[in-house]
Amino acid sequence: MAIRRYGSEQSGAGGQRLPFARAVEADGWLHVSGQVAMENGEIVQGGIVEQTHKAIANLITILHEAGYGVEHVVRCGVWLDDPRDFWSFNKVYQQYFGDHPPARACVQSSMMVDCKVEIDCIAYKSSK
């Protein structure tokens, strides 16, 4: 079984090399690291709606880079900074995953960067 890493050469804030891959693929399974609303090393401005769109767009970019789509996502993990954002987050999330809803966990959490939401996922695509 081959393991392929995507984006392990990426740099974060201040040009520091990140100690993790954006995604890792093994035996048809793709594990995508948590994505926030970051563009060019900076968190995009705006509320939960804007940040959710950007975080999911970043997630989808990585899925496509690895040859997967939202229809292959089997589970998402979601961290919200403010639980009052839950319903607004769900409205945006449904626009992307409504036809292919994965299993999901959603919790409130303090974030490591100044953002409102972080999303990771696990996708599966059979090699057959």
Side-chain angles (χ1 to χ4, degrees), residues 18-115:
L18 297 175
F20 56 87
R22 289 186 306 147
V24 175
E25 183 179 18
D27 202 26
W29 292 95
L30 182 73
H31 295 255
V32 180
S33 294
Q35 298 300 302
V36 297
M38 189 170 286
E39 186 172 319
N40 300 321
E42 299 291 330
I43 299 295
V44 299
Q45 296 301 307
I48 188 65
V49 170
E50 295 83 5
Q51 287 201 11
T52 300
H53 278 293
K54 184 60 180 169
I56 292 174
N58 290 345
L59 191 82
I60 290 171
T61 295
I62 296 167
L63 286 167
H64 288 168
E65 178 184 335
Y68 292 72
V70 294
E71 69 275 13
H72 298 112
V73 176
V74 295
R75 184 188 185 282
C76 283
V78 177
W79 296 264
L80 296 175
D81 182 57
D82 187 337
R84 294 172 294 186
D85 288 336
F86 182 71
W87 296 110
S88 297
F89 166 82
N90 270 340
K91 284 175 120 176
V92 176
Y93 181 90
Q94 186 172 15
Q95 293 173 22
Y96 294 91
F97 294 103
D99 293 337
H100 308 284
R104 187 181 91 183
C106 184
V107 299
Q108 177 192 8
S109 178
S110 296
M111 303 296 184
M112 298 307 295
V113 296
D114 188 18
C115 66

